Amino acid sequence: MEIWINPACSKCRSAVDLLDAEGAEYTVRRYLEDVPSPDEIRAVLERLGLEPWDITRTQEADAKELGLKEWPKDAASRERWIEALAAHPKLIQRPIITADDGTAVVGRTDEAVRDVLGR
């Protein structure tokens, strides 16, 4: 499995600590440094079963600057959102854990991280 993290994020650190405590095998991707491509974002969204606006941190300064709260949340605007996430990775909700079974979760709670461990 892989976990996308921002090391400065307490939720990310908690998720990594829980994975370590459970002896999970995983790789870390510091997604602010190793920025996901639009294709990688599309693939993670498919695994999550979510839309790009569902994993967008709309309170970030970049989001406010872009006016994301005003963007339509529809199929016609989906690519615009994905491009924004790729161009501004701080906007991606974290941590995202991709499981070996092809699914993924946004691991903001211990319960979500344990859920992915059980897959």
Side-chain angles (χ1 to χ4, degrees), residues 51-53 71-83:
E51 293 296 338
W53 45 86
W71 288 17
K73 296 177 179 175
D74 57 23
S77 302
R78 190 172 197 269
E79 284 305 307
R80 183 180 182 199
W81 283 85
I82 290 169
E83 292 294 333

Side-chain angles (χ1 to χ4, degrees), residues 93-115:
Q93 190 58 265
R94 59 190 184 244
I96 293 177
I97 304 170
T98 55
D100 293 336
D101 69 355
T103 62
V105 298
V106 178
R108 295 192 57 76
T109 65
D110 285 355
E111 182 178 272
V113 176
R114 284 194 178 92
D115 179 53

Side-chain angles (χ1 to χ4, degrees), residues 3 7 13 15 31-33 36-37 46 49 63-64 74 78 82-83 90 100 103 105:
I3 182 169
R13 291 191 306 271
Y31 72 94
L32 297 179
E33 298 163 18
S37 69
E46 186 172 325
K64 292 176 182 176
D74 57 23
R78 190 172 197 269
I82 290 169
E83 292 294 333
K90 270 190 174 181
D100 293 336
T103 62
V105 298

Side-chain angles (χ1 to χ4, degrees), residues 4 40-52 54-56 78 85 92-99 101-108 112 115-116 119:
W4 292 8
E40 289 173 306
I41 293 169
R42 279 185 214 93
V44 162
L45 288 167
E46 186 172 325
R47 291 174 80 161
L48 288 166
L50 297 174
E51 293 296 338
D54 296 327
I55 65 162
T56 301
R78 190 172 197 269
L85 291 174
I92 300 171
Q93 190 58 265
R94 59 190 184 244
I96 293 177
I97 304 170
T98 55
D101 69 355
T103 62
V105 298
V106 178
R108 295 192 57 76
D115 179 53
V116 81
R119 296 180 184 179

Side-chain angles (χ1 to χ4, degrees), residues 6 12 16-17 21 25 29 31 34 36 53 55 58 67 71 89 91 95 97 103 105 108:
N6 171 353
C12 293
V16 167
D17 288 347
E25 289 187 28
R29 179 172 186 168
Y31 72 94
D34 182 7
W53 45 86
I55 65 162
T58 57
W71 288 17
L91 298 177
I97 304 170
T103 62
V105 298
R108 295 192 57 76

